[in-house]
Amino acid sequence: MKQSVCIGIDMGGTNTAFGFVTKDGNVVAEGNISTTGHHNIDEYIKRLTLAIKEQWGSINQEYQITAIGVGAPSGNYRTRSIEESANLPWQGVIPFCDILEEIFGIPTFITNDANAATLGEQIYGGAKGMQDFVMVTLGTGLGSGYVANGRLIYGHNGLAGELGHTTAIKDGRECGCGKKGCLETYCSATGVKRTAIELMATTNTKSELRDIPYNKLTSKDVAIAANNGDKLAQQVFQITGEILGEALANTVAITGPEAIFLMGGLTKAGDLLFNPLRKSFNKSVMFLFKDCVNILPSAIDGNVAILGAAALAWSEIKESNNG
Amino acid sequence: MKQSVCIGIDMGGTNTAFGFVTKDGNVVAEGNISTTGHHNIDEYIKRLTLAIKEQWGSINQEYQITAIGVGAPSGNYRTRSIEESANLPWQGVIPFCDILEEIFGIPTFITNDANAATLGEQIYGGAKGMQDFVMVTLGTGLGSGYVANGRLIYGHNGLAGELGHTTAIKDGRECGCGKKGCLETYCSATGVKRTAIELMATTNTKSELRDIPYNKLTSKDVAIAANNGDKLAQQVFQITGEILGEALANTVAITGPEAIFLMGGLTKAGDLLFNPLRKSFNKSVMFLFKDCVNILPSAIDGNVAILGAAALAWSEIKESNNG
């Protein structure tokens, strides 16, 4: 009998990567195409289909494809569509699952990238066996996914998990979402950069970062400088960790998770981020949850996004088999 | 065949009320005893058992008892115990479910009062058929319960849903939990009183409330004054609604509910509270959730707490029958 695999598709603003993933999380074949540079969505889908079928052919003897999972910015689990994404080259509502099901003839599921990462952690990562946990992705923005009673919270409109757009600082920084003071304007790659710039304006602390123009400065520069002993850069991570710790303390009081996992570029800063974060969390969290919640880096290495998208497919198949 | 009923027990700091509740929410018999005034927990349980058996006898011909549900301050669903409650006359960890199961020989379940109210709303109230909603109880404190994917979120340690102890105002009012600025220090009966007192200190606004000493002032006095046109009292509700609206906007971004229900004494203030609350919520909520979430008063009249406790029993039986 052929072994089952699910296809995980990670649609990013620049690249679309996909892989054929076994239930155990082995990627037996993979490929990718550019997300941009197509005349329209139909052309993109044609290219993607071609690339997938090519890889499929290479493993066809050994594996059968059971389902497809897609992680995409603004991917909505409930409507099965990509909705008005600000980070993709096409607009409007795209019924992506229906289109792929028509082409491949197998069940297809979609959700946003942070939710896919959450399922990846649950099925293949550090959250195996956990019924209640939170995933926070620290990339350009701040994404999050919540699992309660063993199941991801999609919410009524399919768009739950927007921790990045809860208010961290009243009347604080302008956010791309139209609000002010959103958590992701402080705790994300962009947030780290903005904090560094703000400290350049408000303090006289010497820093190697003062030679880098705004448009060139990245959170990685800040992390490197901090590791080199740059006081201003270190203060940036101190502030970032403090604000994130307070936000996580609030979110813990609501959903009472066993653990919070962090992933994304910013977590590579390691103790620079985790030390002030854990300290601030412990100071802010309600006594009922003290010493109950682990704050951990994601346990997944390798292509998290593909694994996460495949995890969506695997978890949906399991649910439908359970009735 | 006899009709099934569950016993709902609402254990309050002063009184313990109980009722025999059909699946449709009819209370076919009820009774109550004092929570206080017993030498110890054993004596209290003896009295409660006696009172329940007395009522049981009166309906025994027609009904059979299927299960018991208990709503109690610090009732922990996972440990099945009452844990170190500040609002009950006994200390320590009391394995309340085990004790009642031993006595009555039927399955017994416990949770805290806000969670019981949430289940009551789900099974008998305005949240019937909803998969994702939030319940906020505005009493002496602020309690809350979250339902996602159709199931109450108990959290890993059984104590999720502490919205009242998320930080509303950084370094704000001292809270009984040891933190500062907790939501319930602003948005609760006690919070309303504190805001009134604060406005007396910080403004020169004339008010009939200035004749009432701190220890006598209640949120009801503030509501009556506001309805009489008292400007200071009206401002109190304005501030209360604004802070609660911001907090609910944050919580909506996390769990994406279809509706938020409010119950408890403070909601009797009606538009005084709901108008500024809805306005603030709409201003603060992330665009993805705009016009998606109804903020409503609880649809349950009658003995909410008994119904809620019985709802716990009914929902647990249903779950165990579903496997």
Side-chain angles (χ1 to χ4, degrees), chain B residues 210-283:
Chain B
R210 291 187 188 268
D211 291 322
I212 309 173
Y214 181 93
N215 277 335
K216 287 213 168 157
L217 184 68
T218 67
S219 61
K220 205 174 162 188
D221 295 326
V222 184
I224 290 170
N227 277 319
N228 288 343
D230 189 288
K231 292 272 176 287
L232 186 141
Q234 287 173 346
Q235 204 188 336
V236 170
F237 279 97
Q238 181 69 33
I239 292 169
T240 308
E242 274 172 19
I243 296 174
L244 188 54
E246 288 168 8
L248 295 184
N250 282 339
T251 209
V252 157
I254 292 175
T255 63
E258 180 176 356
I260 299 171
F261 294 91
L262 301 180
M263 63 173 281
L266 221 52
T267 61
K268 290 183 188 141
D271 287 348
L272 268 178
L273 177 71
F274 279 90
N275 284 349
L277 163 56
R278 290 201 179 102
K279 198 171 162 188
S280 156
F281 176 83
N282 287 330
K283 197 182 142 204

Side-chain angles (χ1 to χ4, degrees), chain A residues 156 162 167 170 246 250 253-254 256, chain B residues 156 161-162 167 170 246 253 256:
Chain A
H156 182 60
E162 289 290 353
T167 305
K170 196 172 156 89
E246 289 168 8
N250 283 338
I254 292 175
Chain B
H156 182 59
E162 291 289 354
T167 304
K170 196 172 154 90
E246 288 168 8

Side-chain angles (χ1 to χ4, degrees), chain A:
Chain A
M1 212 178 85
K2 287 183 186 179
Q3 195 184 345
S4 283
V5 287
C6 284
I7 303 177
I9 301 176
D10 163 43
M11 191 190 298
T14 318
N15 254 288
T16 299
F18 63 88
F20 297 75
V21 183
T22 66
K23 200 163 188 174
D24 300 333
N26 292 321
V27 182
V28 298
E30 55 190 316
N32 67 82
I33 66 163
S34 169
T35 308
T36 55
H38 310 280
H39 287 103
N40 51 44
I41 176 77
D42 295 333
E43 198 179 287
Y44 164 80
I45 287 170
K46 245 183 223 165
R47 280 286 316 281
L48 179 62
T49 305
L50 210 69
I52 289 175
K53 287 191 170 165
E54 204 177 290
Q55 293 298 320
W56 192 331
S58 77
I59 60 164
N60 197 18
Q61 301 289 322
E62 255 183 286
Y63 299 96
Q64 67 174 1
I65 322 287
T66 308
I68 300 173
V70 184
S74 305
N76 185 328
Y77 172 78
R78 300 225 185 274
T79 63
R80 300 165 44 82
S81 301
I82 296 170
E83 296 184 352
E84 310 285 358
S85 175
N87 301 313
L88 292 173
W90 35 77
Q91 296 308 304
V93 175
I94 299 154
F96 203 71
C97 289
D98 292 349
I99 295 171
L100 292 198
E101 285 185 356
E102 178 80 22
I103 295 170
F104 291 100
I106 51 176
T108 302
F109 309 93
I110 195 168
T111 190
N112 75 38
D113 25 0
N115 282 344
T118 307
L119 291 168
E121 200 70 35
Q122 184 182 29
I123 298 193
Y124 303 121
K128 265 185 208 166
M130 287 189 186
Q131 294 294 301
D132 300 271
F133 72 95
V134 178
M135 163 67 88
V136 176
T137 63
L138 298 166
T140 312
L142 185 153
S144 70
Y146 288 76
V147 168
N149 295 310
R151 293 181 62 193
L152 193 74
I153 300 180
Y154 289 107
H156 182 60
N157 68 357
L159 300 168
E162 289 290 353
L163 179 66
H165 298 281
T166 58
T167 305
I169 310 278
K170 196 172 156 89
D171 298 321
R173 293 177 184 166
E174 285 184 5
C175 182
C177 79
K179 285 179 58 184
K180 277 188 172 179
C182 287
L183 185 62
E184 83 167 25
T185 68
Y186 298 89
C187 302
S188 65
T190 322
V192 160
K193 173 180 164 163
R194 290 172 84 165
T195 303
I197 297 285
E198 191 176 303
L199 285 179
M200 290 183 211
T202 57
T203 73
N204 289 320
T205 312
K206 282 183 186 164
S207 171
E208 60 189 73
L209 301 174
R210 291 187 188 268
D211 292 322
I212 308 174
Y214 181 92
N215 277 334
K216 287 213 168 155
L217 183 67
T218 67
S219 62
K220 203 173 162 188
D221 295 327
V222 184
I224 291 168
N227 277 318
N228 287 343
D230 188 288
K231 292 272 178 283
L232 186 141
Q234 288 172 345
Q235 205 188 336
V236 170
F237 279 98
Q238 181 70 32
I239 292 170
T240 308
E242 274 173 18
I243 296 176
L244 188 53
E246 289 168 8
L248 295 183
N250 283 338
T251 209
V252 157
I254 292 175
T255 63
E258 179 175 356
I260 298 171
F261 294 91
L262 301 179
M263 62 172 279
L266 221 52
T267 61
K268 290 182 188 140
D271 287 347
L272 267 178
L273 178 69
F274 279 90
N275 284 349
L277 164 53
R278 290 200 178 102
K279 197 171 164 190
S280 156
F281 175 83
N282 287 331
K283 196 181 143 203
S284 306
V285 76
M286 188 198 179
F287 73 95
L288 289 177
F289 304 98
K290 260 202 167 90
D291 308 318
C292 293
V293 187
N294 289 312
I295 299 180
L296 302 164
S298 165
I300 294 188
D301 9 73
N303 197 325
V304 179
I306 288 177
L307 282 180
L312 169 64
W314 279 114
S315 70
E316 289 296 319
I317 290 168
K318 189 180 156 215
E319 290 228 346
S320 78
N321 287 348
N322 287 348

